Amino acid sequence: MKQVLRLSFMGLFLLASQIVFCQTKQPGFPARNKKTDRAKVAEDAGALRIPNGYADNLHWDIPLDTLGQNGSIIHWKSGDESYVTSLGKLLKRSPRNGKKVSVTMKAIISLGNAVRTKSFNIYIAYEELPYSGYLFAYFEGSGEAAQQEQLRFGVSADAFNWNALNGNRPVLSSTEISQTGGIRDPHILRGEEENSFYMVATDMSAIKNGWGHNPGIDMLKSGNLIDWSHSIIDLAKTYPENFSDVKWVWAPQTIYDPAAGKYLVYFTVRFQNDPRLDFYSAYANKDFTGFEHEPALMFRAKYGAIDGDIIYKDGVYHFFFKGNTKDENGKEVQNGIQQAIGHSLQGPWAENFKYLDAYSTKHIVVEGSGIFKLNNSETYVLMYDLYTRLRYEYQKSSDLYHFTENPESFTKNFNPRHGTVISITREEAKRLNERWGGVPPELLK
């Protein structure tokens, strides 16, 4: 009797197994838990996003997804091709005399016979302000040593002939805004919000303390270019787990990341007993007084790099920096301004080992590359610091890949070290002149 029961149970098990096998393997019968095309399309539509940094104030091309995670195909249709094409290319911006133009971008997500649509409202940024001049933030390379590592401003009407503000005296005291009593490498940025400006600088006084160590950076914010709030970030103290042995924190810069809707601060880091010079980055908090998180590795150039400056053009981020080349024994044989490119600030970055400056083959050292666009023009200016010769020169480009071969010199009544330039309006120039004096007369009319 027991044997019969055992066989019966075994027979039932085999029969059930055959039924399951037939249901899951026979042609035309869907496998258990297998996603249908409709489910895949629904999931891909749910995951599809246009980040708020693009949608709320568009002045870039939109990086549009064309393939879903489940293999669905995504086609886009612009509601107004005169502003944004169906490929996401921005053609023009909203007039300043009204509300921002809103354009609907419709996504058609399909796989097999399954189709779903999803729409996004995009607000086009206003046309650029009527820029009339340029502001140069720098520290001084000559004069009284104790006064050199201080923030100064210069102004120009044409970007090539410069006047120092405040008689080339500091516009902010380093003793008030830094931990070391000195600042170097100031970077100035016009923010996404109108009447917002951001600065970061290396917190370092090489004149007082030498080159052995500097703890971090200084962060500043203003609504008028005159009054600046400030904060200090000491990486070793703030992030002791991974930065307690930091040696250098050099040449910070800030750029707005529309993919995150935040300001990204990036800089070169070197650690004690480690020769590498790598770029690290972190998003600034909303008050621009510190970081949201511990800085992370951003870009590691093959032979190390310093003095990075990033600019966006036509869907590409161009990362300029001082790089170098080493031989098989690790000895540096050449250095100068190089470039890497990426489609996201998070990388990956494709490094181009071509030297862009006119001096790398002459073994004349340059650093502090800074890139900016001329007002009402498609011309870009790549400037750099010939720091051993107290000269500041530049080369020009229309595409950021090819630059004029022969360097040109600025005309100026100061000796800047590693600075940066932004465009300013006539009203801003007048405000600067009222506070510090020195603005060229043609900007005050």
Side-chain angles (χ1 to χ4, degrees):
M1 183 66 178
K2 290 181 181 179
Q3 183 67 22
V4 172
L5 287 173
R6 190 161 32 268
L7 289 172
S8 298
F9 287 139
M10 181 62 70
L12 288 171
F13 173 79
L14 291 173
L15 178 61
S17 300
Q18 289 174 354
I19 292 172
V20 171
F21 177 82
C22 290
Q23 287 180 338
T24 57
K25 296 298 183 180
Q26 284 182 355
F29 200 100
R32 184 177 297 174
N33 297 326
K34 182 179 179 181
K35 290 181 184 176
T36 64
D37 288 348
R38 182 179 294 180
K40 290 179 180 179
V41 166
E43 188 174 295
D44 286 349
L48 190 60
R49 297 284 186 274
I50 292 180
N52 290 340
Y54 291 97
D56 293 344
N57 193 44
L58 186 69
H59 55 98
W60 306 265
D61 295 337
I62 312 173
L64 298 173
D65 291 330
T66 57
L67 186 66
Q69 291 291 326
N70 292 298
S72 60
I73 304 301
I74 306 171
H75 294 283
W76 293 87
K77 178 64 178 175
S78 170
D80 191 336
E81 293 271 357
S82 69
Y83 278 92
V84 187
T85 72
S86 295
L87 296 177
K89 184 171 180 59
L90 179 66
L91 298 181
K92 64 180 180 179
R93 291 165 61 160
S94 299
R96 298 191 68 83
N97 58 354
K99 293 183 178 180
K100 290 179 182 177
V101 172
S102 176
V103 175
T104 300
M105 296 295 293
K106 183 170 73 172
I108 301 96
I109 307 103
S110 63
L111 183 64
N113 294 322
V115 180
R116 180 171 288 205
T117 63
K118 186 173 184 177
S119 295
F120 301 87
N121 288 327
I122 308 298
Y123 294 91
I124 311 299
Y126 286 121
E127 294 172 341
E128 285 191 338
L129 291 165
Y131 297 130
S132 299
Y134 306 85
L135 176 65
F136 194 159
Y138 64 97
F139 73 104
E140 179 59 56
S142 61
E144 183 183 350
Q147 293 295 310
Q148 289 180 17
E149 295 169 314
Q150 307 269 349
L151 177 67
R152 290 166 167 82
F153 285 160
V155 169
S156 172
D158 62 5
F160 306 116
N161 299 282
W162 293 90
N163 281 359
L165 301 191
N166 202 30
N168 199 27
R169 295 183 297 274
V171 296
L172 293 175
S173 170
S174 289
T175 58
E176 296 179 7
I177 64 173
S178 72
Q179 178 174 263
T180 62
I183 68 99
R184 302 174 69 91
D185 321 314
H187 176 263
I188 189 166
L189 174 75
R190 182 183 292 273
E192 283 294 288
E193 315 82 7
E194 290 198 3
N195 299 317
S196 66
F197 303 91
Y198 300 89
M199 275 199 296
V200 287
T202 305
D203 192 327
M204 183 176 190
S205 178
I207 291 173
K208 288 196 312 181
N209 306 319
W211 294 91
H213 170 256
N214 82 290
I217 70 172
D218 304 308
M219 302 177 69
L220 301 95
K221 183 178 180 180
S222 175
N224 58 12
L225 289 173
I226 307 299
D227 306 299
W228 294 85
S229 61
H230 70 275
S231 60
I232 297 167
I233 300 181
D234 184 320
L235 263 68
K237 292 179 180 177
T238 308
Y239 306 105
E241 183 175 349
N242 292 310
F243 288 88
S244 60
D245 63 339
V246 71
K247 180 176 182 176
W248 294 332
V249 186
W250 279 3
Q253 305 234 35
T254 306
I255 187 171
Y256 182 73
D257 184 358
K262 301 173 184 178
Y263 292 95
L264 185 73
V265 182
Y266 57 99
F267 40 85
T268 295
V269 169
R270 180 180 173 183
F271 292 95
Q272 301 285 353
N273 303 315
D274 188 340
R276 292 180 301 182
L277 290 162
D278 297 325
F279 287 104
Y280 280 71
S281 67
Y283 287 110
N285 59 25
K286 290 184 178 180
D287 297 328
F288 206 73
T289 57
F291 298 150
E292 285 190 343
H293 55 84
E294 181 178 277
L297 182 66
M298 178 185 184
F299 170 51
R300 173 169 288 164
K302 182 175 181 180
Y303 297 114
I306 61 172
D307 298 351
D309 192 15
I310 301 174
I311 193 169
Y312 172 89
K313 176 177 168 54
D314 298 333
V316 176
Y317 289 99
H318 297 258
F319 197 152
F320 296 93
F321 53 87
K322 179 179 180 177
N324 64 88
T325 306
K326 293 182 171 68
D327 62 19
E328 62 275 9
N329 298 316
K331 180 182 178 181
E332 182 178 297
V333 294
Q334 191 175 3
N335 66 59
I337 308 303
Q338 296 180 323
Q339 179 182 183
I341 61 171
H343 294 281
S344 163
L345 289 171
Q346 304 306 316
W349 297 98
E351 190 173 354
N352 183 341
F353 296 95
K354 174 185 175 182
Y355 288 95
L356 302 175
D357 66 279
Y359 291 99
S360 61
T361 57
K362 302 175 183 177
H363 299 288
I364 297 174
V365 290
V366 305
E367 65 181 21
S369 58
I371 187 82
F372 65 93
K373 185 175 177 290
L374 295 181
N375 298 335
N376 306 310
S377 171
E378 292 304 313
T379 298
Y380 292 81
V381 175
L382 175 66
M383 63 181 192
Y384 42 77
D385 180 359
L386 284 86
Y387 58 97
T388 62
R389 304 189 177 207
L390 285 183
R391 297 211 313 266
Y392 228 95
E393 296 186 353
Y394 63 92
Q395 294 165 240
K396 293 181 287 188
S397 173
S398 59
D399 62 7
L400 295 178
Y401 295 101
H402 307 92
F403 289 82
T404 51
E405 292 184 7
N406 297 320
E408 301 176 72
S409 295
F410 295 109
T411 298
K412 48 188 171 43
N413 59 0
F414 53 95
N415 290 311
R417 294 293 318 281
H418 193 169
T420 45
V421 170
I422 61 168
S423 297
I424 57 173
T425 65
R426 194 173 302 276
E427 290 70 23
E428 291 163 348
K430 290 178 179 179
R431 189 187 310 148
L432 290 163
N433 192 66
E434 289 172 2
R435 176 64 179 86
W436 288 298
V439 171
E442 57 266 41
L443 286 176
L444 302 177
K445 297 176 181 178

